Amino acid sequence: MQLDIVGNRKIWFGLSGLFIVIGLVALLLHGGLNPGIEFQGGTLLQLQFNQATSLEQVRSVLADYNLEKSTLQETGDGAFLVRTKELNDEARREVLAGLKEKIGPYEMLRNEKVGAVVSAELRNNAFLALTIAAILMLIYIALRFEIKFAVAGVLALLHDILITVGIFALLNVEIDSTFIAAILTIVGYSINDTIVVFDRIRENLKANKKEPLAKLVNRSIMETLTRSVNTALTTLFAVIALLVFGGETTKVFALALFIGLLAGTYSSIFIASPLWYSWHSKA
């Protein structure tokens, strides 16, 4: 079966453009993404319980005070680090009293406010990491293939990031630092898939110089389609399991990966190579 992916590229570009516009509108309406504690500051508590205690017990008590999205970290036997939204003195006393009543006595090791300086540093580092990754990928793909492939690949990555960010804005999901890790993971996954298709196009260009370019690009995409789909499905099975059975602290990461993997697979097939074709055919 030979699909005319290149011939219908305006449809694929239009669908992506529609999703991106909807996401950007959601970003504007919500005033940006919904930031978690790491981005807007909050309250940090470190407690050492006198008896054996599990993360599930602590999270269950926090859920009674609508703090189930707090970040929990076990730092030792019976010791936990809790990062939650900013609590006033009364709310903090209620939460601590509830933990003592429902779990048992504890020793307070830390009780402090996390300021906005941390959030600014995280945002700057995330932007810097994405910028450096994009520049290095441009250089790598340009050296391995050509500049047109490099630009098309990076534009496809931008597409994946915008789709993921847009859907998070649309759903108003609260993001944390794992969202940044997921975005960087998506970038690595998507560019790898795209390069496989680019590599097949280059091979076919060398072997079939007289074949019409549109037909050659379509054939190259179809020859790598099974690999792209199987890789995506295998990865998505693991991500879905993490999304369904993982804890609260992994759900943002898993959801971002799920959306990004779908967008990345789509862009590798329907966006990157048709973009290259559009540019190359007009040269």
Side-chain angles (χ1 to χ4, degrees), residues 2-270:
Q2 187 73 28
L3 296 176
D4 189 8
I5 294 174
V6 168
N8 294 311
R9 61 189 181 279
K10 290 184 179 179
I11 296 175
W12 320 130
F13 296 166
L15 285 173
S16 293
L18 178 62
F19 273 100
I20 290 171
V21 168
I22 291 174
L24 291 176
V25 169
L27 275 172
L28 290 174
L29 291 177
H30 291 144
L33 292 170
N34 184 8
I37 302 157
E38 292 94 336
F39 293 94
Q40 63 180 359
T43 297
L44 184 147
L45 303 170
Q46 188 170 14
L47 309 174
Q48 173 70 60
F49 287 92
N50 296 344
Q51 63 285 329
T53 307
S54 67
L55 283 170
E56 290 72 22
Q57 287 177 287
V58 178
R59 190 174 298 282
S60 176
V61 176
L62 293 175
D64 294 338
Y65 300 92
N66 297 318
L67 300 175
E68 61 274 5
K69 292 186 178 180
S70 301
T71 301
L72 289 179
Q73 180 183 354
E74 192 168 3
T75 58
D77 188 18
F80 298 89
L81 190 67
V82 181
R83 291 178 181 268
T84 188
K85 65 182 182 181
E86 187 172 348
L87 303 174
N88 58 35
D89 291 341
E90 182 181 354
R92 188 164 57 249
R93 282 195 295 269
E94 288 180 3
V95 172
L96 292 173
L99 288 167
K100 185 174 182 180
E101 178 185 348
K102 298 176 182 179
I103 297 179
Y106 58 82
E107 179 186 353
M108 176 73 73
L109 303 179
R110 292 172 69 186
N111 180 1
E112 60 190 60
K113 181 179 178 181
V114 181
V117 175
V118 177
S119 67
E121 184 179 352
L122 276 172
R123 285 195 299 268
N124 292 338
N125 288 343
F127 181 76
L128 180 62
L130 286 172
T131 302
I132 292 173
I135 292 171
L136 291 177
M137 286 177 189
L138 267 173
I139 295 171
Y140 168 72
I141 301 172
L143 291 174
R144 180 173 173 182
F145 297 95
E146 61 176 36
I147 190 62
K148 293 175 185 177
F149 278 116
V151 174
V154 171
L155 286 176
L157 288 180
L158 182 61
H159 160 278
D160 303 337
I161 294 171
L162 288 175
I163 292 289
T164 305
V165 170
I167 292 178
F168 263 70
L170 190 64
L171 299 176
N172 201 31
V173 178
E174 184 178 284
I175 64 168
D176 54 29
S177 56
T178 63
F179 180 76
I180 297 171
I183 292 294
L184 292 172
T185 305
I186 291 163
V187 167
Y189 174 90
S190 180
I191 198 65
N192 179 67
D193 209 20
T194 299
I195 285 177
V196 170
V197 183
F198 284 172
D199 205 37
R200 185 56 58 89
I201 291 174
R202 183 177 61 173
E203 289 175 3
N204 288 335
L205 279 171
K206 292 179 180 178
N208 304 277
K209 295 181 179 179
K210 294 183 179 180
E211 185 176 8
L213 187 59
K215 184 178 179 181
L216 184 145
V217 174
N218 278 328
R219 182 164 64 85
S220 300
I221 295 172
M222 295 306 298
E223 286 173 354
T224 56
L225 184 62
T226 301
R227 182 264 179 201
S228 297
V229 172
N230 287 341
T231 302
L233 286 176
T234 303
T235 310
L236 281 172
F237 288 151
V239 172
I240 290 171
L242 184 62
L243 186 60
V244 174
F245 301 108
E248 284 292 330
T249 53
T250 63
K251 286 198 173 177
V252 169
F253 178 77
L255 179 60
L257 270 187
F258 178 77
I259 297 168
L261 289 174
L262 290 178
T265 303
Y266 178 87
S267 70
S268 296
I269 298 169
F270 297 102

